[in-house]
Amino acid sequence: MHKLLRPCWRNLHFHRRNAANLRLAEQQQRWSSTQEMRTLEDVIADRRQQANRSIVVQVNSERSFSELFTYCQQFGEIEGCHHYKLSHDELHYILVEFQTESSAEAAMSSSCFNEDLSGVPIRSPFLWFRAGKKKGSPAKSASPKTSLSSLDGIHTIPNNELDDLLMASQDVEGQMQTLHRSTVLNDLGTRLRFLAARQVESTIAGMFPNANALPFGSSVNGFGRMGCDLDLILRFDKDSHLGCKSIDSRLVFHTKETLSNGRSQMQRQMECIGDLLHLFLPGVYHVRRILQARVPIIKFHHEHLDLEVDLSMSNLTGVYMSELLYMFGQIDDRVRPLTFCLRRWAQTCGLTNPSPGRWITNFSLTCLVIFYLQQLKEPILPPISLFVKSAKSNDLRVTEDGINCSFLRDVRNLPFKTENKSSLTELLLQFFEFYSQFDFNNRAISLNEARNIVKPDHSAMYIINPLEQHLNVSKNISLEECERFRIEVRNAAWILESDMERNTSNESREEPWGLLNLFRTPEKTIIRPNMFFKPRLVEVSELFDDSSADGEHRNLEFKNSTV
Ligand code: GTP
Ligand code: MG
């Protein structure tokens, strides 16, 4: 089905923009509800196929759309087109989704390299559209402009617009829903993340035909917001995570002996992959290797997507954990809006921080939310042990390191139903109250059992890692940060309670209220221990030396990699 190309957001009047945001949110919600009850594995498989049918083409502006559409039709039927623009630049892109994978392949096979550029000639789904040979005579188009569209963008809603939407909400519950709808990762954001994965995968496909780059974390688990990073795991053997091996064939590949120390081997391979990405991949910049971490990663920035990527090669439990988080979000409608609200609260009061360190991470915070919902008198979420007990034979998963990650994947078969009817507002307030009294000094949190147990060591905060139960998810958190968490939840409970007392009636409000007060805690009411507060570190990316953005666009060309 073809959709309409939407004009650039910035040119629209503010109110129209708000209306557009809401429309987008509704569209997104409709899309997610159709996905609602499928397993994450199925959703990921579909998204991967969608990426295989798609290309991303840099264009002069959205006005190039009809010409590009007409040009691309020669490769096959087009399913849809999505326009986005990078905010810091005037660079425009159109994602073209064909109906079949072979059409996308044909588009790439017909693309050429630009002899004028000194870049490495590498094939990838990132292309640019140059002007037709005869200047001033654009190709005749079958007026697709009226029948095609793009409704999404890739940008986070600006704070002032979000504030206006929150201001206009009915009540705190409405604010929480609005926050969730207007900040959740949209369809285009998801498509582009899968295209980034495909680019990595297809680059090394010659040497590793079974390579599999699999997105996990907030990009797929339902807790991702616009602009969230992409966590990617790169496996050389496509089926290794399913424990399948082809035992029928009598012909066996010779392979290179691996080093005796598996971790050193992994670090060496990652170094090599890091170099490959850095030297050859179009759009990939600012590659950093963090190989001494428990899970070694390569970080990079993708300039065509304005996206931070964390690539690992050895963290399958992270992928399986994403499945658990995804199902927790599926079980009850309140889980995601509540978590989004708490993630934003933690961000605005500086509890979370984009750079790794001694502060609470979004993942630990999400575990705290899940535990809180599990331990209620009338639980909203079940213990993980129930997923394990309910596992069927097709749910069997064991990692290479022997970690058993077998648990039920299809949430429809989970024998659990909640009778809890609490509103989101009540849950939010009770979350703050619960953790302001939680005995972090002596107790550890078990999501597996949905109860707290005696703390096994002296870590400031102890959340038992659900899949590797001898590990602590929040081991990184310092005593000071744990204390700060306690202070902030106490303050938040106080702010929210007093706000609700003030705003009992539905009269028109002129002052910030509800979440706006929670997110903008007045400095005077906060007991902020400044000596513990570390300013956020902003990473400066090496970006945009794109010599192709000179306006001299002609037919489809590969985006070359320049180093
Ligand atoms: P943001 O990136 O902050 O939006 O959230 P995220 O959920 O993607 O968190 P992060 O990038 O830190 O981690 C990615 C995923 O790895 C998480 O969603 C988890 O599925 C998994 N993960 C992270 N830390 C751990 C851990 O300590 N144990 C396990 N089993 N999985 C983890
Ligand atoms: Mg992440």
Side-chain angles (χ1 to χ4, degrees):
M1 236 242 305
H2 301 156
K3 305 159 193 168
L4 281 173
L5 185 72
R6 203 169 65 83
C8 167
W9 280 24
R10 216 173 50 185
N11 300 333
L12 295 176
H13 187 266
F14 174 76
H15 294 294
R16 286 179 58 201
R17 186 166 168 160
N18 277 348
N21 283 344
L22 287 173
R23 265 205 318 280
L24 282 183
E26 279 158 17
Q27 188 203 41
Q28 172 75 11
Q29 231 183 11
R30 272 200 303 281
W31 178 82
S32 0
S33 62
T34 60
Q35 307 281 315
E36 209 50 64
M37 285 303 153
R38 303 169 63 211
T39 67
L40 184 55
E41 277 181 3
D42 288 346
V43 172
I44 287 178
D46 279 1
R47 286 294 189 179
R48 284 168 58 81
Q49 280 174 12
Q50 195 176 57
N52 290 347
R53 294 193 299 268
S54 306
I55 54 174
V56 170
V57 186
Q58 188 184 337
V59 290
N60 255 343
S61 73
E62 64 263 56
R63 283 189 301 280
S64 316
F65 168 64
S66 55
E67 209 181 321
L68 175 68
F69 180 84
T70 308
Y71 185 80
C72 284
Q73 268 183 325
Q74 66 179 297
F75 306 116
E77 286 295 317
I78 293 170
E79 180 71 22
C81 291
H82 305 256
H83 165 252
Y84 67 93
K85 196 176 89 158
L86 299 184
S87 57
H88 39 67
D89 232 316
E90 286 305 301
L91 299 181
H92 291 259
Y93 295 83
I94 293 178
L95 184 156
V96 181
E97 184 194 357
F98 292 97
Q99 282 182 5
T100 65
E101 200 173 320
S102 55
S103 304
E105 279 300 319
M108 279 192 281
S109 299
S110 88
S111 298
C112 61
F113 295 100
N114 184 358
E115 306 87 38
D116 306 340
L117 282 181
S118 56
V120 183
I122 190 163
R123 184 187 156 106
S124 94
F126 293 94
L127 309 159
W128 62 284
F129 192 45
R130 60 181 179 182
K133 286 226 165 69
K134 284 181 203 156
K135 284 202 168 166
S137 60
K140 291 269 179 302
S141 69
S143 62
K145 204 164 185 170
T146 52
S147 57
L148 291 178
S149 90
S150 156
L151 284 172
D152 357 55
I154 57 164
H155 299 305
T156 315
I157 178 169
N159 283 339
N160 57 339
E161 289 186 21
L162 180 61
D163 288 356
D164 286 339
L165 288 175
L166 296 181
M167 197 69 195
S169 301
Q170 277 285 314
D171 47 24
V172 175
E173 172 111 11
Q175 286 186 318
M176 292 173 77
Q177 298 285 12
T178 301
L179 173 74
H180 175 231
R181 281 202 307 267
S182 25
T183 57
V184 67
L185 182 65
N186 67 10
D187 175 54
L188 180 56
T190 308
R191 284 171 184 268
L192 294 176
R193 280 162 177 74
F194 276 82
L195 264 156
R198 184 188 170 210
Q199 185 192 24
V200 171
E201 197 174 284
S202 61
T203 300
I204 59 169
M207 228 171 143
F208 307 105
N210 290 334
N212 187 10
L214 201 66
F216 69 103
S218 58
S219 296
V220 298
N221 67 17
F223 293 99
R225 60 186 172 89
M226 293 297 287
C228 70
D229 68 1
L230 166 64
D231 300 291
L232 208 55
I233 180 164
L234 179 64
R235 313 288 298 170
F236 289 145
D237 176 356
K238 220 171 213 164
D239 291 326
S240 61
H241 71 292
L242 300 175
C244 310
K245 300 236 159 50
S246 168
I247 46 170
D248 295 337
S249 174
R250 292 190 57 198
L251 294 178
V252 182
F253 288 110
H254 263 300
T255 53
K256 187 103 183 171
E257 281 293 316
T258 55
L259 296 178
S260 54
N261 180 340
R263 185 172 161 87
S264 313
Q265 169 92 359
M266 172 77 56
Q267 287 164 329
R268 290 286 304 280
Q269 288 173 350
M270 289 190 74
E271 247 176 68
C272 180
I273 295 286
D275 283 344
L276 210 73
L277 301 179
H278 172 61
L279 292 170
F280 301 122
L281 249 67
V284 170
Y285 287 90
H286 199 204
V287 177
R288 289 141 286 162
R289 298 165 189 80
I290 302 163
L291 302 179
Q292 299 310 323
R294 186 176 75 82
V295 178
I297 55 169
I298 296 171
K299 284 171 117 39
F300 61 87
H301 185 87
H302 204 299
E303 74 160 12
H304 299 309
L305 309 173
D306 195 14
L307 179 68
E308 276 297 306
V309 184
D310 283 2
L311 180 106
S312 62
M313 287 173 65
S314 59
N315 184 24
L316 272 176
T317 58
V319 175
Y320 296 136
M321 194 60 225
S322 301
E323 291 189 283
L324 281 170
L325 293 188
Y326 179 78
M327 288 190 287
F328 278 128
Q330 281 180 311
I331 290 172
D332 192 281
D333 283 350
R334 290 165 289 187
V335 178
R336 286 174 185 154
L338 179 66
T339 310
F340 267 66
C341 182
L342 287 163
R343 280 187 175 206
R344 190 159 185 106
W345 160 77
Q347 182 200 359
T348 56
C349 61
L351 281 172
T352 50
N353 190 311
S355 52
R358 58 198 176 167
W359 26 82
I360 192 164
T361 61
N362 273 333
F363 176 60
S364 295
L365 186 62
T366 308
C367 290
L368 291 183
V369 182
I370 289 167
F371 177 68
Y372 156 69
L373 295 172
Q374 288 175 325
Q375 60 71 52
L376 292 167
K377 259 201 197 106
E378 193 59 68
I380 290 180
L381 292 177
I384 290 177
S385 56
L386 187 66
F387 292 86
V388 176
K389 275 185 222 138
S390 316
K392 306 261 186 312
S393 56
N394 60 346
D395 293 317
L396 183 71
R397 307 282 187 283
V398 181
T399 69
E400 303 173 320
D401 320 332
I403 302 165
N404 190 346
C405 298
S406 307
F407 50 79
L408 183 87
R409 259 71 185 180
D410 190 341
V411 85
R412 287 169 299 189
N413 298 328
L414 194 73
F416 176 82
K417 201 166 179 312
T418 182
E419 297 299 325
N420 188 312
K421 300 275 187 291
S422 299
S423 69
L424 273 173
T425 319
E426 286 162 349
L427 292 176
L428 180 64
L429 185 58
Q430 285 163 17
F431 172 92
F432 292 132
E433 284 165 354
F434 175 73
Y435 282 111
S436 62
Q437 284 160 27
F438 189 83
D439 182 8
F440 284 109
N441 290 334
N442 298 303
R443 311 298 292 178
I445 284 170
S446 166
L447 274 64
N448 302 70
E449 303 303 329
R451 65 187 178 92
N452 64 61
I453 59 162
V454 175
K455 207 157 79 169
D457 68 24
H458 295 298
S459 306
M461 186 184 284
Y462 203 113
I463 303 171
I464 296 168
N465 188 326
L467 297 175
E468 294 166 271
Q469 293 187 35
H470 58 288
L471 298 177
N472 172 11
V473 164
S474 49
K475 193 178 167 64
N476 64 309
I477 299 174
S478 67
L479 212 60
E480 292 84 354
E481 285 299 314
C482 185
E483 191 48 34
R484 214 156 70 76
F485 176 77
R486 261 212 298 247
I487 292 169
E488 293 292 358
V489 285
R490 227 172 24 227
N491 283 337
W494 183 81
I495 290 167
L496 203 58
E497 245 167 24
S498 3
D499 188 85
M500 280 155 68
E501 275 166 25
R502 268 199 313 274
N503 288 293
T504 42
S505 67
N506 234 358
E507 74 222 21
S508 68
R509 305 171 174 103
E510 300 201 337
E511 295 295 313
W513 61 280
L515 294 192
L516 288 160
N517 282 337
L518 200 62
F519 296 159
R520 295 249 177 84
T521 313
E523 285 299 317
K524 56 181 188 301
T525 61
I526 203 163
I527 317 159
R528 192 187 287 280
N530 279 330
M531 68 273 206
F532 303 140
F533 184 74
K534 193 152 180 210
R536 206 165 288 171
L537 301 174
V538 179
E539 285 171 353
V540 182
S541 307
E542 303 161 3
L543 301 174
F544 319 117
D545 63 339
D546 187 358
S547 45
S548 68
D550 59 3
E552 186 51 29
H553 294 289
R554 282 163 284 153
N555 302 328
L556 284 187
E557 284 201 7
F558 288 109
K559 292 292 297 177
N560 287 29
S561 161
T562 47
V563 189

